[in-house]
Amino acid sequence: MDLIGGEGSKVLRKQGFRSLKLMSVDMEQELGNEPEPFGADYGRLDNGLVYYVRRNSKPRMRAALALAVKVGSVLEEEDQRGVAHIVEHLAFSATTRYTNHDIVKFLESIGAEFGPCQNAMTTADETIYELFVPVDKPELLSTAISILAEFSSEIRVSKEDLEKERGAVMEEYRGNRNATGRMQDSHWQLMMEGSKYAERLPIGLEKVIRSVPAPTVKQFYQKWYHLCNMAVVAVGDFPDTKTVVDLIKTHFEDKRSSSNPPEIPVFPVPSHEDTRFSCFVESEAAGSAVMISYKMPVSDLKTVKDYRDMLAESMFLHALNQRLFKISRRKDPPFFACSVAADVLVSPLKAYIMSSSCKEKGTLASLESMLLEVARVRLHGFSEREISVVRALMMSEIESAYLERDQIQSTSLRDEYIQHFLHKEPVIGIEYEAQLQKSLLPQISASDVSRYSDKLRTSCGCVIKTMEPRSAATVDDLRNVVSKVNSLEKEMKIAPWDEEKIPEEVVSEKPTPGDVTNQLEYPEVGVTELTLSNGMQVCYKSTDFLDDQVLFTGFAYGGLSELPESDYISCSMGSTIAGEIGMFGYKPSMLMDMLAGKRVEVSARLGPYMRTFSCDCSPTDLETALQLVYQLFTTNVMPQEEEVGIVMQMAEEAVRARERDPYTVFANRVKELNYGNSYFFRPIRINELRKVDPLKACEYFNSCFRDPSTFTVVIVGNLDPSIALPLILQYLGGIPKPPQPILNFNRDDLKGLPFTFPTKITREFVRSPMVEAQCSVQLCFPVQLTNGTMIEEIHCIGFLGKLLETKIIQFLRFTHGQIYSAEVSVFLGGNKPSRTADLRGDISVNFSCDPEFSSKLVDLALEEIVRLQEEGPSQEDISAILEIEQRAHENGLQENYYWLDRILRGYQSRVYAGDLGASCQILEEGRLRMRESLAPQTAQAALQRILPHPCKKQYTAVILMPQRSRFGFLSSLFASRPETSYIRDTKILAGIAGLAVLVFSIWRYSRK
């Protein structure tokens, strides 16, 4: 229901939420019109399939589709562990009508990219297939729905199909066997102990993935995939919903399942009164962490009272998170970061999960602080001021959703209907929900919110787990901490929360407004450009894409590349240290309360060639956003020992964590090879961190945001110029201009970063100790673009990157079945923004794989690129890449972020000479010329021109491999031993046998 409509009613719409009348609430009233969800054509076919269809025009001429299946890994038998996920993979591989990944190829041919626009996921309880497709041609929607129909009952499970897909599934499994994955799996099993869920992680078992026979997979698919357990969801820019319902009926109505499908069983998770403890030691851990989980049954959400309870729970989580954030910013904090969230883990179970990251050997202090804070709430509650801050925050969130109710993305609506089908979450419509929240939130008191702390007790369903790189805490230590906090609470020895005094205004004294000294209009891009009296250039574009969004970015040339190497590390820490101290004049913990109820985020960054600040805010909070920018330019950040100590401690922990990561050695070697070990690309080490000069860092940061005349600001979004312009003049125009220019650089005179690409072939293995074998490959080629045809070449290299990525995935995954995914990335960021110099950079191919096949896969990737250089891609390949680019471009034209980036590129382009309109036009014409000229022959020529030709003559290939074990070394000795005389071999083998005994003893000891 559109409460306020009409193109000319923007001002009314902005006031719409505040004019919504409060409801007289009946707590026992059911939510919505269940079982029918709001806004959708909803029904069930005779074969049991449920459907949801809704018209939605965001984005235009696109549809978000899904097939939701109430089948997950918990239904697997012991010999099927991982089969639910394998079925999901096989769906895109072959069905009755499609073979050899033809589904993927068709969808890419219409612009639906593999991954972002065609994907699937398997959990313990369900499997979801998702498509995001263009619908500007009627047959496209029909074909997409027919593909979902194939998934429902026609997935082909043959021995050949399964063998092709094993490698991809195995690589996904291997990718999950890192420190984070092992910790998550361990915690899951601890949480689910005593239930079938504990032994049914969706990824499954390696032995099943490698050897499960096709009949077993087929049996699982045929037993559980029944239409009565499925729903089709279609949300998009349709002419009408009836046509879509008819298409669903056309493609699904004739599908039939067995007459007596098995009922989906419920697998309870046993409750437990005793606290479960675990100390998980993980040598590759990114740091030390604590997780506290409080388990409970999933609560119903059927009535208004249930909805009120959900709001009170959300307020509790917000309020507790605000306290935890403030604790993390104290002197010598017990943790670096801590948060709490509620999550439904499996169908019958939800949990409040508190998690923190802390310094090494700090898990006990972190655990104590987390438990103390919950106990403090139980004893003293939250204050009314804390709850008023949270109430304002939540009111702001629902107001934003209400204002943009006609601009919700189709994917978001699709996901709501999926949850309605799978978990019976009501869909009641944003208008009713906004009115409900506006009526209920003021009625929820601090005591109502504080009562939720009773659910976070260690005496019922609690699981406490620590993760450390080296063992420091024991289970007895954890028990002692719990006992200590329980005693303090019982004896009422926990003090109330100490609140800070919060300033009321961001800017205490409003600045004198500046003037507009020059104004230009660029109708071809719909922007207005202003030059202010302090020299700042401001460009704005009004859009109607989202009613509650304004974005802006300011940039100035001159950054870290101008510094001597001796100052680089200190000054590169400037934004980090300033952010912790308070770059806007207030500590982050204080600013959080000051901005309660406002939707505004402002950040600042120091880059190699530019300094930037960026913002995302509501139009109603534009004044606050601009005030923060004014504060950024007028605050003199000075290092405080307390805040700097926190920053440096966190930075040191991050460096230590990186050094434990097996990928660190790999990443460091890649940078060293490709960029000549340049200091700018070299990771910071502990000894360098300890030499950081905080005063120098803050002084440099202050100078970077001091002279407004060096900055250009681009603003895009729902702007009313009559309201925005006075604010721009006051807070941007009011920034004082210094007597002398500060960091005022000509873009053509900036110093370039020192880096060089190797001139010869370099191919090497990097071996790193690992808990479980991982392998990562980066194949890299140098790129140099000449100035004469630069605009077309930059567009061309983007097309080539996508072409190479698509072909390598097709070749290494779909043909050889050896990788899960691949990424091709283009790096040109090391170049200074000169308008005349050539561009240097690289194109890299990245994938993970089985260590045993890594060298072979590098050779195959090189051969495929050589083939493309010598034979060229097919017309089908080119058409698919052009279609993907065009569909992404069409989507972008409806997004504020796209236009912000497009205008920034117009200013920063090498063709910019003071005329933004001309610059943007040249860039777009270059894109169109590239599209028009791209054909198999021109793509082949570009691959020869831009990459080394042939590509095998100059590249780097770095392969991360597990460090060889002592047994591997011994095996290689055996394998390489030539057959000579019997007596000689006997002596050698006897010597090796003695060595093996010693090595085995050492190995057993080290494993302990």
Side-chain angles (χ1 to χ4, degrees):
M1 181 174 64
D2 193 356
L3 298 183
I4 303 172
E7 191 61 29
S9 59
K10 272 191 177 181
V11 175
L12 288 176
R13 284 178 61 80
K14 288 165 71 175
Q15 299 301 321
F17 180 78
R18 292 168 193 181
S19 64
L20 271 180
K21 293 181 180 179
L22 300 181
M23 300 172 61
S24 176
V25 179
D26 176 4
M27 290 297 171
E28 301 308 315
Q29 180 183 338
E30 289 196 0
L31 287 171
N33 185 29
E34 289 299 313
E36 294 193 10
F38 176 86
D41 275 11
Y42 169 82
R44 185 183 290 271
L45 303 184
D46 291 342
N47 56 21
L49 178 83
V50 174
Y51 63 82
Y52 303 75
V53 179
R54 176 167 175 168
R55 288 182 64 191
N56 187 65
S57 60
K58 186 73 174 180
R60 290 190 294 271
M61 304 312 298
R62 298 292 183 275
L65 310 177
L67 178 70
V69 188
K70 293 179 179 178
V71 174
S73 58
V74 75
L75 298 176
E76 297 164 348
E77 300 300 333
E78 185 63 27
D79 64 341
Q80 297 174 333
R81 291 175 64 178
V83 164
H85 179 235
I86 290 173
V87 168
E88 171 219 303
H89 271 252
L90 290 172
F92 289 93
S93 173
T95 65
T96 301
R97 289 179 53 196
Y98 298 91
T99 186
N100 196 27
H101 294 93
D102 286 341
I103 288 175
V104 174
K105 294 170 187 173
F106 164 74
L107 291 168
E108 288 191 328
S109 75
I110 65 172
E113 187 178 357
F114 185 58
C117 301
Q118 40 173 316
N119 216 328
M121 61 176 288
T122 303
T123 72
D125 290 311
E126 64 243 7
T127 304
I128 303 169
Y129 301 89
E130 296 177 344
L131 303 178
F132 184 71
V133 296
V135 290
D136 47 357
K137 300 173 185 175
E139 66 272 16
L140 299 184
L141 178 61
S142 178
T143 304
I145 292 174
S146 77
I147 289 171
L148 295 181
E150 291 280 298
F151 292 167
S152 73
S153 57
E154 307 292 339
I155 296 175
R156 197 176 74 190
V157 185
S158 68
K159 181 180 179 181
E160 294 75 19
D161 297 324
L162 186 55
E163 291 306 318
K164 275 188 177 181
E165 204 61 29
R166 282 192 205 275
V169 179
M170 192 60 225
E171 194 48 45
E172 190 175 354
Y173 172 88
R174 187 181 291 107
N176 189 54
R177 302 306 301 160
N178 54 20
T180 302
R182 287 190 292 270
M183 193 275 282
Q184 289 174 341
D185 290 356
S186 171
H187 192 67
W188 173 270
Q189 289 166 346
L190 192 65
M191 292 272 287
M192 301 297 166
E193 188 177 310
S195 77
K196 192 178 179 183
Y197 286 106
E199 303 302 324
R200 291 298 181 270
L201 288 162
I203 195 65
L205 298 179
E206 179 177 356
K207 66 179 181 180
V208 174
I209 296 170
R210 289 190 182 278
S211 61
V212 65
T216 302
V217 178
K218 191 169 187 176
Q219 179 190 23
F220 178 88
Y221 177 61
Q222 292 178 338
K223 178 178 179 180
W224 295 112
Y225 267 60
H226 292 279
L227 293 161
C228 60
N229 298 324
M230 300 183 192
V232 173
V233 183
V235 181
D237 193 12
F238 311 129
D240 62 89
T241 55
K242 182 181 182 302
T243 303
V244 183
V245 172
D246 288 343
L247 284 173
I248 291 171
K249 291 178 178 178
T250 297
H251 293 296
F252 279 92
E253 217 161 25
D254 292 338
K255 304 289 182 187
R256 286 288 178 267
S257 304
S258 63
S259 55
N260 295 307
E263 186 176 341
I264 302 289
V266 175
F267 299 96
V269 180
S271 60
H272 54 93
E273 293 185 1
D274 293 338
T275 306
R276 290 177 182 167
F277 298 93
S278 174
C279 296
F280 189 76
V281 179
E282 171 56 66
S283 60
E284 297 172 9
S288 297
V290 179
M291 290 182 68
I292 312 174
S293 303
Y294 303 90
K295 301 187 297 183
M296 62 202 70
V298 174
S299 49
D300 289 331
L301 184 57
K302 294 180 178 179
T303 67
V304 171
K305 181 183 182 301
D306 297 334
Y307 190 86
R308 183 189 185 278
D309 292 343
M310 184 192 73
L311 289 178
E313 176 187 76
S314 182
M315 293 174 77
F316 168 76
L317 297 173
H318 275 298
L320 185 54
N321 276 325
Q322 290 192 349
R323 281 197 182 182
L324 295 171
F325 174 76
K326 291 173 182 178
I327 292 171
S328 72
R329 293 304 178 264
R330 290 177 178 171
K331 183 178 180 180
D332 194 21
F335 40 70
F336 298 134
C338 184
S339 63
V340 59
D343 194 16
V344 175
L345 303 178
V346 294
S347 290
L349 184 73
K350 70 177 279 188
Y352 294 122
I353 301 176
M354 292 183 75
S355 56
S356 68
S357 60
C358 57
K359 63 186 177 183
E360 197 167 338
K361 299 182 180 179
T363 52
L364 296 179
S366 182
L367 173 62
E368 182 174 335
S369 181
M370 295 160 75
L371 295 173
L372 270 174
E373 212 45 54
V374 176
R376 194 188 318 277
V377 177
R378 277 196 292 269
L379 288 177
H380 306 288
F382 292 111
S383 69
E384 287 295 342
R385 193 188 69 79
E386 286 179 291
I387 297 307
S388 68
V389 167
V390 169
R391 188 181 293 116
L393 172 66
M394 293 180 61
M395 203 73 86
S396 172
E397 290 174 351
I398 191 63
E399 178 180 12
S400 178
Y402 177 78
L403 292 176
E404 295 175 353
R405 63 193 181 279
D406 298 328
Q407 299 156 333
I408 302 173
Q409 292 283 344
S410 291
T411 49
S412 297
L413 293 171
R414 174 192 65 189
D415 294 345
E416 282 193 41
Y417 293 125
I418 290 173
Q419 294 307 310
H420 180 272
F421 173 71
L422 294 174
H423 304 296
K424 299 181 181 178
E425 291 186 10
V427 179
I428 59 178
I430 192 62
E431 291 92 344
Y432 176 56
E433 192 164 0
Q435 200 170 7
L436 203 55
Q437 286 203 31
K438 187 175 180 181
S439 303
L440 291 173
L441 282 171
Q443 299 177 16
I444 301 173
S445 66
S447 60
D448 292 334
V449 175
S450 303
R451 274 196 287 271
Y452 275 81
S453 59
D454 283 330
K455 296 191 175 187
L456 278 68
R457 291 189 178 275
T458 56
S459 57
C460 186
C462 182
V463 177
I464 296 176
K465 187 181 189 74
T466 61
M467 182 174 79
E468 299 176 293
R470 284 176 285 274
S471 180
T474 66
V475 167
D476 285 342
D477 293 331
L478 303 186
R479 285 198 177 97
N480 291 338
V481 170
V482 171
S483 178
K484 176 183 175 182
V485 174
N486 287 344
S487 296
L488 290 172
E489 182 179 1
K490 186 176 180 180
E491 296 165 12
M492 307 284 284
K493 289 183 178 180
I494 301 173
W497 176 256
D498 186 19
E499 295 194 60
E500 294 179 291
K501 185 178 179 182
I502 306 300
E504 293 185 4
E505 298 291 337
V506 173
V507 176
S508 55
E509 187 175 336
K510 292 189 176 182
T512 302
D515 301 314
V516 176
T517 60
N518 191 42
Q519 178 169 333
L520 295 172
E521 303 290 337
Y522 297 107
E524 56 268 53
V525 281
V527 305
T528 300
E529 182 184 272
L530 309 173
T531 304
L532 307 184
S533 51
N534 60 4
M536 182 177 277
Q537 189 169 254
V538 178
C539 168
Y540 66 83
K541 177 181 177 66
S542 297
T543 70
D544 58 1
F545 305 136
L546 290 172
D547 283 349
D548 199 47
Q549 186 178 67
V550 173
L551 307 173
F552 62 76
T553 292
F555 73 93
Y557 289 110
L560 296 167
S561 74
E562 300 301 309
L563 300 169
E565 184 176 349
S566 58
D567 290 344
Y568 166 71
I569 290 179
S570 288
C571 294
S572 69
M573 293 288 293
S575 56
T576 305
I577 294 173
E580 195 62 40
I581 294 170
M583 64 177 67
F584 306 111
Y586 306 96
K587 291 182 179 180
S589 57
M590 186 178 292
L591 191 63
M592 179 179 66
D593 284 353
M594 293 173 67
L595 300 180
K598 299 180 184 294
R599 199 181 70 74
V600 54
E601 295 179 23
V602 181
S603 61
R605 179 179 176 271
L606 306 179
Y609 301 115
M610 292 183 198
R611 303 98 67 192
T612 59
F613 59 84
S614 299
C615 173
D616 181 345
C617 69
S618 169
T620 55
D621 297 321
L622 178 61
E623 180 172 11
T624 302
L626 295 175
Q627 286 177 340
L628 291 172
V629 175
Y630 175 81
Q631 289 289 106
L632 175 66
F633 277 79
T634 57
T635 296
N636 192 37
V637 180
M638 293 299 293
Q640 305 295 321
E641 182 179 352
E642 184 176 313
E643 286 85 358
V644 170
I646 296 171
V647 173
M648 302 315 296
Q649 191 178 40
M650 291 173 68
E652 285 196 21
E653 287 292 331
V655 171
R656 289 193 185 94
R658 193 182 65 216
E659 290 173 349
R660 287 190 292 268
D661 184 357
Y663 288 88
T664 297
V665 176
F666 170 69
N668 290 350
R669 184 56 182 154
V670 166
K671 291 176 183 177
E672 183 181 359
L673 274 177
N674 292 344
Y675 308 119
N677 201 25
S678 167
Y679 71 88
F680 192 85
F681 297 98
R682 192 169 58 229
I684 297 177
R685 299 177 177 87
I686 293 282
N687 64 327
E688 293 172 319
L689 270 179
R690 290 174 179 169
K691 296 176 185 176
V692 166
D693 183 342
L695 181 60
K696 182 178 289 185
C698 290
E699 287 175 345
Y700 178 71
F701 181 84
N702 291 333
S703 66
C704 285
F705 300 97
R706 192 62 79 222
D707 188 348
S709 69
T710 62
F711 277 82
T712 297
V713 183
V714 178
I715 310 176
V716 175
N718 184 14
L719 286 172
D720 182 340
S722 65
I723 297 173
L725 187 56
L727 300 175
I728 291 170
L729 293 177
Q730 180 154 51
Y731 296 109
L732 298 186
I735 297 171
K737 183 178 179 180
Q740 299 295 324
I742 300 175
L743 300 184
N744 191 353
F745 295 96
N746 184 316
R747 63 184 287 185
D748 295 315
D749 299 331
L750 297 175
K751 295 178 182 176
L753 296 176
F755 69 95
T756 56
F757 197 89
T759 57
K760 60 181 182 179
I761 296 171
T762 304
R763 187 163 174 165
E764 65 178 58
F765 292 100
V766 173
R767 297 191 180 274
S768 181
M770 298 179 191
V771 175
E772 295 188 51
Q774 302 272 323
C775 178
S776 188
V777 173
Q778 184 174 88
L779 185 60
C780 199
F781 307 94
V783 166
Q784 182 153 341
L785 306 183
T786 56
N787 188 44
T789 56
M790 186 68 71
I791 301 303
E792 287 83 357
E793 292 288 71
I794 290 174
H795 284 297
C796 183
I797 201 171
F799 280 106
L800 293 184
K802 183 52 64 180
L803 172 67
L804 289 174
E805 184 174 281
T806 301
K807 297 305 293 180
I808 287 172
I809 289 174
Q810 288 178 2
F811 193 55
L812 297 187
R813 176 173 177 173
F814 299 158
T815 302
H816 291 276
Q818 289 296 333
I819 68 169
Y820 176 60
S821 186
E823 180 185 7
V824 173
S825 55
V826 178
F827 174 70
L828 299 173
N831 296 277
K832 63 182 183 179
S834 166
R835 282 170 284 208
T836 56
D838 291 348
L839 288 183
R840 294 180 301 144
D842 57 60
I843 293 181
S844 61
V845 180
N846 302 274
F847 56 85
S848 60
C849 61
D850 188 327
E852 183 180 346
F853 302 122
S854 57
S855 292
K856 175 187 174 184
L857 293 177
V858 168
D859 291 336
L860 288 173
L862 285 168
E863 287 170 13
E864 179 64 5
I865 297 171
V866 169
R867 186 192 69 77
L868 290 169
Q869 287 183 315
E870 299 305 321
E871 302 174 14
S874 68
Q875 183 58 55
E876 182 183 8
D877 295 331
I878 296 299
S879 298
I881 298 304
L882 288 172
E883 194 70 14
I884 289 171
E885 190 275 342
Q886 180 61 26
R887 298 303 186 179
H889 177 72
E890 291 169 359
N891 287 343
L893 290 172
Q894 305 170 57
E895 302 292 339
N896 288 323
Y897 276 106
Y898 171 87
W899 280 101
L900 177 67
D901 182 63
R902 184 171 179 175
I903 295 168
L904 286 169
R905 281 189 286 114
Y907 277 117
Q908 295 166 9
S909 166
R910 59 179 48 223
V911 300
Y912 176 70
D915 186 329
L916 176 65
S919 176
C920 290
Q921 185 175 349
I922 292 170
L923 291 176
E924 180 60 14
E925 288 173 352
R927 170 185 166 270
L928 293 174
R929 280 197 302 272
M930 188 66 248
R931 285 186 58 84
E932 290 167 4
S933 66
L934 199 64
Q937 297 79 10
T938 55
Q940 179 185 357
L943 285 166
Q944 295 177 359
R945 181 177 69 253
I946 292 175
L947 293 178
H949 180 229
C951 69
K952 288 185 177 182
K953 78 175 186 181
Q954 188 183 3
Y955 67 88
T956 62
V958 185
I959 304 173
L960 172 66
M961 296 282 280
Q963 195 171 65
R964 282 178 175 168
S965 70
R966 295 178 176 90
F967 288 109
F969 171 70
L970 292 175
S971 298
S972 69
L973 287 178
F974 281 112
S976 62
R977 181 63 53 197
E979 292 186 7
T980 53
S981 71
Y982 172 79
I983 296 175
R984 178 183 165 196
D985 275 357
T986 303
K987 290 179 180 178
I988 291 171
L989 292 175
I992 290 176
L995 177 61
V997 172
L998 174 62
V999 170
F1000 186 67
S1001 302
I1002 294 171
W1003 179 82
R1004 288 182 63 191
Y1005 178 79
S1006 68
R1007 290 290 290 178
K1008 289 180 184 178

